[in-house]
Amino acid sequence: MTEPVWGPVHADIVGLLADHPGDVPAVVDHLTKLQDLLVRLPPLERSCPLADFNELYLTITTSVLEGLYDDFFADPVFLSRLDVEFATRYFDALRLWTESSPTTPKAWSCLFKRMSGPDARPLPSAAAGVNAHINFDLPFALVTTFDHLESEPVDGSEQHRDYLKINDIFADKIPSLRRGYLERWQLLIDMLNGDVDDWYQGELVEYTRDVAWRNAQRIWRCRHDPHARDCERTRLDDNAAALGRLLLSPLGAFLQ
């Protein structure tokens, strides 16, 4: 008999993924419940590679929700819709993996495959999840959001400025999140480096999210051409998967 993908928490995760969050509070609730399940997943339990990413994602999304409550964004309808569309792609990838579907994005599969082994460290695991979610999921989430709102991805627009404000949230949260993933010897190096590592990580997130915006503009122009759109999907999935495998490799772990 085949072992369920999620072991003893399989039924709970299947039930969670059967529900589709419709707003940002529901996304936060889903991520919170998923985190509670992932840290119980053997053999790694609290060291589950996916839990390392999910915890980061939960922290950022909670901050986005607080920003919506505090009128931080000029177009909260846009940010709310984007947050839901973005999360939907993560949950869809989990659902496909749960079903052992061959259509699971390769960008996510390289991280999901590490859940049964002891060789994935927290920081590379979180970085691989961020890579898959931003480099593969985010452009399509943007396109779907703009299509739903009957708008379009225009540089310098109010929606674009709100999109860039998420970089500020990352910049605020990254230092403490990143140090939470480091081992003792890495913390010593981090202390010696001062603010350099925090600056570098912030710049990297900002650059990666800008590339995602550019890719969304590219997909937007061909959104009515199924073949061209599929080519873009394959291109982004292949590129993100290659980077994900590097991040999870011994070389990638060393560089981080």
Side-chain angles (χ1 to χ4, degrees), residues 66-115:
E66 292 170 353
L68 289 168
Y69 287 149
D70 294 339
D71 297 324
F72 181 62
F73 303 106
D75 190 344
V77 173
F78 164 70
L79 248 298
S80 297
R81 183 73 190 192
L82 177 59
D83 194 279
V84 171
E85 293 291 345
F86 194 32
T88 294
R89 277 150 182 77
Y90 172 48
F91 295 132
D92 282 347
L94 286 167
R95 193 176 298 109
L96 290 169
W97 183 258
T98 300
E99 297 166 356
S100 300
S101 172
T103 61
T104 304
K106 290 181 285 187
W108 281 110
S109 294
C110 61
L111 176 60
F112 295 162
K113 289 175 181 177
R114 295 299 187 98
M115 288 186 290

Side-chain angles (χ1 to χ4, degrees), residues 164-181:
L164 295 177
K165 284 185 177 181
I166 302 296
N167 295 341
D168 297 335
I169 293 176
F170 269 100
D172 179 56
K173 299 297 180 182
I174 278 178
S176 59
L177 284 168
R178 190 174 60 82
R179 290 184 181 89
Y181 297 127

Side-chain angles (χ1 to χ4, degrees), residues 12-13 39 122-123 128 162 205 220 232 251:
D12 291 326
I13 290 184
V39 297
L123 183 57
D162 274 349
V205 168
W220 181 259
E232 285 300 305
L251 174 61

